[in-house]
């Protein structure tokens, strides 16, 4: 009887196995819907992208636009690589930004894959300046060996000597528990080494130039996009800096902080916790502060290094913020919870809230690291919470349900440097009261906000009455957010001719049901040689914004929003358009929704894979039962505009005649619904778009002498199909 069981089991499973094999074969044989779209339009992949020539009149060629990111020209020329480029950033956060990896002690075999150092390279330097790689990393050169006798005292004497020619005073460290002294000494020495490299990187930048750059901070961000004010000191500094020495020092500081966090966390803590103690030493580099068990407010005025243990009181002042004499500033919070930064009594939008005073690296490296699962309330005014300018500003939080409140320029924002906000776990809220943050790359900058897990909410105030920054695209009602994955440059071609290419801005959220709210210029938006990315790895998400948003861009740029899975809601309000893969003036624009989620989308103008002024826009939803609602007339659902300059070369500028324009809309699988919303909110079926149909086809005209580049569009709802260039990267599976 028992010998029959395998046969019976095989008979039971055989139909399932056959069906499974058939399904696999069916999936493998699914037609490539994107390839079919190209064939129908008469295009090949070689027709996609832009490869400008320097002899084209009035085209702002990259050779004439300073600070172009190293990847930008190639990615603009090969737009289908945008997904892999984006996914690799998300994969780095998924693989590395976890509390477990941040806390785990390294092993001899894992020394070459240091978590925070690797994230610093992959998110902050690799795509900006190159040079650093993560293969075979020898971190022995990143660690200092404290003295065998009186290690902390000797390390502090070294810090004194680095900042002053005077003899060191008597340094009494007896208040600090003996077991803490050696790892604290190593941290001090490592930061001194990092400072040496940062100083080397800034060696050619005169004090006067540094002062002029700092004086520009109040007006720099808002005056940049339209080139309203030119600050020559920024050009002077950018040309003088030794980037690799500067950022090599910043990477050393990241490594030092993680080493210290792990060494201190591995110590056996007394059952009652560390005994309360306080130590403070003023040096020429800034103050060194060690504090444990305090429930009082700790106010720091000039911090080189602040380490707090199990603090229950607030920490106020310029924690982890550089200054003219303070090229390195680090805050390490070992456990504890509570408010950090600007007191709650002060409005972060008020002038007295301060600038560059919390996790901010201006001409140097400013770092704050919060260990443990405590909930923190992070607050400051401008240039903070992970803001960099000619340096690195980074805020790392391991866990807890945190709130981040900032007026402007931060939460992962940078000009001519790198800004990182890295949160590993917890249900977090990010509030940006004005703009330029939550993953913002200004000229020469890489700004990244990365959140690994939790149900998070990202808000960039859209109401111009509250935020200022009124945008004419919405008749002054909506603010220019420049937030949630935006790369934006200085469009000086309409003012003084000083054009600066935008950088890379990325918001990367791996897991959770998240909410994204912003005004105009937001959520995966590129502007003037900038690249803006919003990547969401999974969950049922809600997106709310207004105009020039969600995988869009203007003026020689790249914008992408990628959502890997989940049932998502895409809401546009007020002027409600220029969105969902919309390109204006030589832009590659993408909205890619992967997986089989049931999604809803609504817009009232120029949205869903619409290309204008010689752009290329691609809207792709891979599966699920989706609903699309359009309001008003105009271009929707895979379309292009038409202009005389596309057919006849201009007399003094002919590049619009030379560039291909493509608008694509593809929905694969599912039972989908397409509606038109009337003024009274009544819904009626769309007259062209419907389930399992093709519409809006504009194919390449037959070749003839003097014809311009193709101007093509294609829209289809496909019952079965794949997108071939996505197939090599399986959609990310949501966590179980």
């Amino acid at each position: 009887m028992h010998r029959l069981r395998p046969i019976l089991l095989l008979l039971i499973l055989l139909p399932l196995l056959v069906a499974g094999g058939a399904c696999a074969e069916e999936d493998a044989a699914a037609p490539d819907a994107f390839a079919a779209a190209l064939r129908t339009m008469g295009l090949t992949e070689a027709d996609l992208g832009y490869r400008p020539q320097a002899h084209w009149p009035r085209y702002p060629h990259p050779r004439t636009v300073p600070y172009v990111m190293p990847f930008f020209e190639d990615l603009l020329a090969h737009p289908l690589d945008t997904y892999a480029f984006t996914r690799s950033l998300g994969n780095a956060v998924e693989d590395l930004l976890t509390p477990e990896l941040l806390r785990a002690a390294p092993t001899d075999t894992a020394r070459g894959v240091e978590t925070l150092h690797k994230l610093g390279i992959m998110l902050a330097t690799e795509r900006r300046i190159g040079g650093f790689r993560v293969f075979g990393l020898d971190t022995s050169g990143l660690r200092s060996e404290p003295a065998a006798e009186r290690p902390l005292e000797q390390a502090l004497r070294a810090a004194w000597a680095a900042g002053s020619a005077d003899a060191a005073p008597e340094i009494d460290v007896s208040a600090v528990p003996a077991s803490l002294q050696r790892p604290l000494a190593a941290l001090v020495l490592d930061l001194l080494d990092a400072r040496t490299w940062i100083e080397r990187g800034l060696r050619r930048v005169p004090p006067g130039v540094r002062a002029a750059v700092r004086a520009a901070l109040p007006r720099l961000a808002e005056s940049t996009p339209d080139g309203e004010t030119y600050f020559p000191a920024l050009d002077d500094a950018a040309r003088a800096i030794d980037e690799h020495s500067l950022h090599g020092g910043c990477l050393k500081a990241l490594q030092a902080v993680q080493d210290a966090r792990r060494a201190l966390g591995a110590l056996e803590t007394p059952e009652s916790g560390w005994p309360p103690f306080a130590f403070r030493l003023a040096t020429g580099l800034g103050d060194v502060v060690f504090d444990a068990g305090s429930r009082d407010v700790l106010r720091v005025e000039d911090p080189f290094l602040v380490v707090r243990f199990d603090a229950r009181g607030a920490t106020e002042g310029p924690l982890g913020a550089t200054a003219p004499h303070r090229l390195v500033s680090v805050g390490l919070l070992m456990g504890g919870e509570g408010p950090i930064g600007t007191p709650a009594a002060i409005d972060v939008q008020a002038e007295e809230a301060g600038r560059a005073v919390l996790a901010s690296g201006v001409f140097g490296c400013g770092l704050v690291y919060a260990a443990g699962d405590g909930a923190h309330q992070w607050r400051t005014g401008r240039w903070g919470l992970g803001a960099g300018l000619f340096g690195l500003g980074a805020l790392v939080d391991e866990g807890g349900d945190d709130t981040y409140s900032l007026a402007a320029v931060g939460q992962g924002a940078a000009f001519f440097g790198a800004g990182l906000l890295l949160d590993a776990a917890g249900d977090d809220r990010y509030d940006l009261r004005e703009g330029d943050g939550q993953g913002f790359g200004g000229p020469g900058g890489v700004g990244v906000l990365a959140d690994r897990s939790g149900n998070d909410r990202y808000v960039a105030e859209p109401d111009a009455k509250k935020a200022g920054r009124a945008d004419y695209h919405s008749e002054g009602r909506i603010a220019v957010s420049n937030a949630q994955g935006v790369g934006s440059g200085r469009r000086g071609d309409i003012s003084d001719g000083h054009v600066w290419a935008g950088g890379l801005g990325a918001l990367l959220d791996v897991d959770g049901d998240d909410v994204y709210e912003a005004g105009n210029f937001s959520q995966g938006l590129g502007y003037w040689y900038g690249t803006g990315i919003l990547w969401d790895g999974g969950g049922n998400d809600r997106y709310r914004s207004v105009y020039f948003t969600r995988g869009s861009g203007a003026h020689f740029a790249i914008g992408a929003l990628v959502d890997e899975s989940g049932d998502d809601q895409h809401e546009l309000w007020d002027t409600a358009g220029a969105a969902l893969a919309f390109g204006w003036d030589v832009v590659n624009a993408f909205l890619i929704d992967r997986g089989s989620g049931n999604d809803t989308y609504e817009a009232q103008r120029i949205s869903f894979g619409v290309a204008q002024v010689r752009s290329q826009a691609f809207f792709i939803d891979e599966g699920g039962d989706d609903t699309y609602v359009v309001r008003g007339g105009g271009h929707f659902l895979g379309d292009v505009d038409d202009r005389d300059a596309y057919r006849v070369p201009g007399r003094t500028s002919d590049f619009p005649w030379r560039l291909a324009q493509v608008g694509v809309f593809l929905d694969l699988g599912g039972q989908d619904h397409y509606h038109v919303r009337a003024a009274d909110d009544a819904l009626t079926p769309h007259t062209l778009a419907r389930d399992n149909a093709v519409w809006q086809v504009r194919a390449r005209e037959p070749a003839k002498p003097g014809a311009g580049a193709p101007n093509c569009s294609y829209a289809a709802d496909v019952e079965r199909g794949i997108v071939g260039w996505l197939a090599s990267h399986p959609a990310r599976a949501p966590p179980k």
Side-chain angles (χ1 to χ4, degrees), residues 233-292:
L234 278 96
D235 269 332
D236 296 341
R239 291 166 184 151
I241 283 177
D242 171 359
E243 292 275 18
H244 292 88
S245 291
L246 170 61
H247 285 277
C250 294
L251 292 171
K252 283 174 174 283
L254 279 174
Q255 182 67 46
V257 171
Q258 189 178 14
D259 279 342
R261 182 266 175 269
R262 294 185 299 200
L264 293 168
L267 296 175
E268 186 173 347
T269 308
E271 287 187 13
S272 57
W274 295 109
F277 68 86
F279 172 87
R280 186 184 294 257
L281 174 69
T283 78
L285 308 181
D287 296 348
V288 177
V289 179
F290 304 135
D291 174 271

Side-chain angles (χ1 to χ4, degrees), residues 552-599:
S552 299
H555 309 302
F556 312 92
I558 299 167
L561 188 155
V562 177
D563 191 298
E564 295 286 341
S565 66
D567 301 335
D568 307 312
Q569 301 175 52
H570 288 266
E571 303 170 26
L572 293 166
W573 53 285
D574 200 272
T575 42
L580 302 160
F582 170 74
W584 175 271
D585 191 17
V586 193
V587 167
N588 288 336
F590 290 85
L591 190 143
I592 301 172
D593 187 278
R594 306 208 64 186
S596 56
N598 303 322
D599 309 307

Side-chain angles (χ1 to χ4, degrees), residues 287-638:
D287 296 348
V288 177
V289 179
F290 304 135
D291 174 271
S294 174
R295 295 183 178 273
D296 298 329
V297 174
L298 175 66
R299 175 74 192 179
V300 295
E301 301 290 346
D302 183 23
F304 168 63
L305 172 62
V306 176
V307 183
R308 299 196 77 184
F309 297 85
D310 196 29
R312 302 292 165 173
T315 305
E316 297 178 358
L319 185 68
T322 59
H325 68 288
R326 207 167 60 232
L327 303 184
V328 173
S329 182
V330 168
L332 174 56
L333 309 176
M334 295 296 299
E337 58 187 16
I340 313 291
T342 303
I346 298 177
D347 180 0
V348 295
Q349 285 179 282
E351 194 64 32
E352 62 266 30
R355 296 180 186 276
V357 293
L358 181 60
S360 175
V362 179
F363 288 115
C365 184
L367 307 177
V368 180
Y369 188 111
D373 297 322
H376 293 100
Q377 298 80 50
W378 304 92
R379 301 180 77 255
T380 194
R382 293 166 177 79
W383 291 89
L385 307 187
L389 174 65
F390 299 119
L392 169 68
L395 172 55
V396 184
D397 191 299
E398 286 183 355
D401 299 339
D402 306 303
T403 60
Y404 300 87
S405 185
L406 179 80
V409 198
Q411 297 182 3
F415 284 63
F416 302 99
L420 303 177
L421 197 171
L422 309 178
D423 188 294
D427 298 336
D428 307 306
R429 175 165 178 133
Y430 302 86
D431 283 310
L432 189 61
R433 306 294 181 85
E434 296 175 19
D436 303 313
Q438 297 180 355
F440 174 76
V446 172
V448 178
L449 193 169
D451 189 296
R452 178 59 181 81
S453 64
N455 302 322
D456 307 305
R457 186 181 185 107
Y458 304 88
V459 179
E461 177 57 60
D463 188 345
K465 291 180 180 178
K466 298 177 182 178
R469 302 162 166 262
D471 185 19
Y472 74 90
H473 292 99
S474 299
E475 301 175 353
R477 295 183 297 271
I478 304 299
V480 173
S481 294
N482 279 342
Q484 299 176 8
V486 171
S488 180
R490 184 181 196 272
R491 196 182 168 199
D493 67 321
I494 55 178
S495 58
D496 51 45
H498 292 92
V499 289
W500 296 344
L504 170 63
L507 197 170
L508 311 168
D509 186 295
V510 183
D511 286 321
D513 300 334
D514 307 306
V515 176
Y516 304 89
E517 289 187 74
N520 294 353
F521 293 85
S522 61
Q523 298 179 359
L525 184 284
Y527 180 85
W528 193 257
Y529 276 88
T531 301
I533 288 169
L534 196 166
W535 180 85
D536 187 289
N540 302 322
D541 307 306
R542 184 184 181 194
Y543 300 88
R544 296 191 76 243
S545 54
V546 182
Y547 206 81
F548 271 117
T549 185
R550 266 175 259 168
S552 299
H555 309 302
F556 312 92
I558 299 167
L561 188 155
V562 177
D563 191 298
E564 295 286 341
S565 66
D567 301 335
D568 307 312
Q569 301 175 52
H570 288 266
E571 303 170 26
L572 293 166
W573 53 285
D574 200 272
T575 42
L580 302 160
F582 170 74
W584 175 271
D585 191 17
V586 193
V587 167
N588 288 336
F590 290 85
L591 190 143
I592 301 172
D593 187 278
R594 306 208 64 186
S596 56
N598 303 322
D599 309 307
T600 61
Y601 305 89
E602 184 162 354
Q604 75 177 25
R605 62 187 72 181
I606 48 176
S607 296
F608 304 110
V610 171
Q612 296 190 338
V613 196
R614 284 314 207 192
S615 290
Q616 301 189 2
F618 308 92
F619 179 102
I620 297 168
D621 189 300
E622 272 196 324
D625 301 335
D626 306 311
T627 300
Y628 301 91
V629 178
V630 300
R631 290 174 275 155
H635 300 277
F636 287 110
L637 300 166

